[in-house]
Amino acid sequence: MSTTIRLGAGGGFWGDAYDPAEELLRQGKLDFMCFDFLAELTMAILHRQKKRNPDSGYVPDVLPFMTSLAPLAREHGTCLVSNGGGANPLAAGRAIADALGRAGTHGVKIGVVGGDDLMHRLDELFAQGVPLTNTATGEDDLRPLRERILCANVYAGAEGIMQAVEGGADIVVTGRVADSALFVGPILQRLGRGYDDPDLVAAAITAGHIAECAAGCTGGMSSRFDEMPHMGRVGFPIIEFESDGSAVVTKLPGTGGRVDAFTVKEHLVYEIGDPRSYAAPDGIADFTAPRLREIAPDRVRVSGCKGAGRPGQLKLLIGYADGWIGEGLMLFPWPRALERARKAQQTLSERFERMGLAADDVLFSYLGVNTLHGPAAPWPAADDMNEVGLRVAVRTRTQEEAEKVRRACTHLWIMGPGGTSFGAPFKPRPAVSLWPTTIARELVESTMEMIES
């Protein structure tokens, strides 16, 4: 007997729009709505917050989103699944339960999934000699950075989510799971399947990867941006997943954006390495295998997914404090806008030297000229442009040194070229660097705790 599971994407990042999620929940007849709130650096930010306040450390959006959508989700029989627990999923779950209780919404079961946070185990791992080689640089000794480490989170799989759904959770809040796991967990649990069918798991990973960034597969971020209608009221995607591993990607009728084979392909290749071996914690998917077919307007069938078993190593991302950033932005008008900006760079460089700035890195970039393309941009620019912006960013070891950058930028008010329209000399901010590595699967275990409003 065929089983169709309807999953919707409720958000693709911390700060995503609320109204498309509510619209989809009201009209989508969903079994699950999945919210991907986390990015690479988000965990370090959240761990800083948790250090200041033990009751924080979760994505701020998770509380208003979950509490406002929970009554509607209960009405429609939809389970909400979110990784917005961030660095403190238990605190997030408790805050949601308390808020719902105060609002008179009682009996909502919240499954809190953890086990991804390895901060408290780092010394144990060091003592055991567990290799934590930096996969980007090849460095193999993390211990000199120990006192500066802010977070250490594994990209966990779907096991804890499956357990929460099996336990009847109305809301699932996790820490750092892989983005696709938000979809894989509900799919495997609802189908009553484990990890014994690699092709089915690969199909679930593929569907989750397509939908995880919400509007990313319904016209957002598209190279065909000029063809995408009414993106200000875009429809978030729906995945109709079948028990045979095929799925249809679609959206609500009448919403903005578009679903076609190209928009699905665009997101299928988003943020991947080897397309033949996309390694997620739940399995390895071959993104060259799926067949995509447009079966109706805004309906694309994905079938033929192939995969391999779960990898033995899990991604572990470690964030550590790495100095401070001093930054400023200045704008320069026509005529000779680029010349003015270059003169300002020369003046700032002289000020940095005069002030004795101790900098690890100094970056100047010209908005409208080379900010995005860097050295690949033609230089100098051919035309006398209407305006040019100069951005300076400096990495220092201390906040005091970064403050010199801000002060030097204000000196341009009088020392700089005539006609300068100043943007902002920003306050210094802490710099965070990442140490990507891997860890053996058997050293990580997901946890799940159920609480109720």
Side-chain angles (χ1 to χ4, degrees), residues 353-423:
E353 182 179 359
R354 189 74 177 265
M355 298 167 73
L357 175 65
D360 292 342
D361 296 291
V362 179
L363 172 67
F364 287 98
S365 56
Y366 293 79
L367 279 68
V369 180
N370 69 350
T371 301
L372 298 178
H373 293 92
W379 187 267
D383 300 323
D384 190 3
M385 293 162 286
N386 287 333
E387 58 197 46
V388 172
L390 175 67
R391 174 182 178 263
V392 58
V394 179
R395 185 193 294 270
T396 67
R397 289 295 96 196
T398 67
Q399 184 176 2
E400 291 73 23
E401 289 299 302
E403 174 65 18
K404 292 179 182 179
V405 178
R406 187 191 68 81
R407 293 192 61 82
C409 288
T410 65
H411 296 166
L412 287 182
W413 293 350
I414 292 178
M415 297 182 189
T420 303
S421 175
F422 289 96

Side-chain angles (χ1 to χ4, degrees), residues 201-434:
V201 175
I205 292 170
T206 302
H209 181 76
I210 290 170
E212 67 195 23
C213 286
C217 68
T218 59
M221 304 188 290
S222 179
S223 60
R224 291 166 47 217
F225 58 90
D226 55 326
E227 302 176 27
M228 299 302 154
H230 307 296
M231 289 303 294
R233 47 186 178 86
V234 68
F236 280 178
I238 301 169
I239 300 292
E240 300 172 355
F241 195 92
E242 302 290 342
S243 57
D244 64 359
S246 65
V248 171
V249 184
T250 185
K251 65 184 185 69
L252 291 176
T255 56
R258 179 172 297 156
V259 177
D260 58 27
F262 193 86
T263 66
V264 174
K265 289 176 184 177
E266 280 188 306
H267 206 268
L268 190 61
V269 299
Y270 176 68
E271 290 187 338
I272 65 170
D274 182 355
R276 292 181 174 83
S277 182
Y278 178 75
D282 294 305
I284 298 173
D286 180 355
F287 283 169
T288 68
R291 297 185 298 274
L292 275 62
R293 183 165 62 94
E294 297 178 18
I295 58 176
D298 291 321
R299 291 183 64 83
V300 174
R301 180 175 294 280
V302 182
S303 61
C305 295
K306 298 293 182 182
R310 293 190 291 174
Q313 297 284 316
L314 299 177
K315 178 179 177 180
L316 170 61
L317 196 62
I318 298 169
Y320 60 94
D322 197 16
W324 288 78
I325 294 176
E327 183 180 8
L329 172 66
M330 291 68 66
L331 303 173
F332 302 89
W334 178 92
R336 301 167 65 194
L338 183 56
E339 289 183 53
R340 297 176 196 270
R342 296 179 74 174
K343 182 65 174 181
Q345 175 180 343
Q346 177 188 346
T347 304
L348 280 175
S349 297
E350 291 172 347
R351 292 304 299 157
F352 292 162
E353 182 179 359
R354 189 74 177 265
M355 298 167 73
L357 175 65
D360 292 342
D361 296 291
V362 179
L363 172 67
F364 287 98
S365 56
Y366 293 79
L367 279 68
V369 180
N370 69 350
T371 301
L372 298 178
H373 293 92
W379 187 267
D383 300 323
D384 190 3
M385 293 162 286
N386 287 333
E387 58 197 46
V388 172
L390 175 67
R391 174 182 178 263
V392 58
V394 179
R395 185 193 294 270
T396 67
R397 289 295 96 196
T398 67
Q399 184 176 2
E400 291 73 23
E401 289 299 302
E403 174 65 18
K404 292 179 182 179
V405 178
R406 187 191 68 81
R407 293 192 61 82
C409 288
T410 65
H411 296 166
L412 287 182
W413 293 350
I414 292 178
M415 297 182 189
T420 303
S421 175
F422 289 96
F426 304 110
K427 291 182 178 180
R429 67 181 191 274
V432 176
S433 292
L434 298 176

Side-chain angles (χ1 to χ4, degrees), residues 5 18 30 40 43 49 61 68 73 110 126 165 190 203 208 236 250 253 266 313 327 345 351 353 356 367 376-377 432:
I5 308 168
Y18 172 84
L30 302 177
E40 298 288 344
M43 296 302 292
Q49 295 177 355
D61 282 356
S68 58
I110 303 166
F126 289 149
V165 174
R190 183 58 61 90
F236 280 178
T250 185
E266 280 188 306
Q313 297 284 316
E327 183 180 8
Q345 175 180 343
R351 292 304 299 157
E353 182 179 359
L367 279 68
V432 176

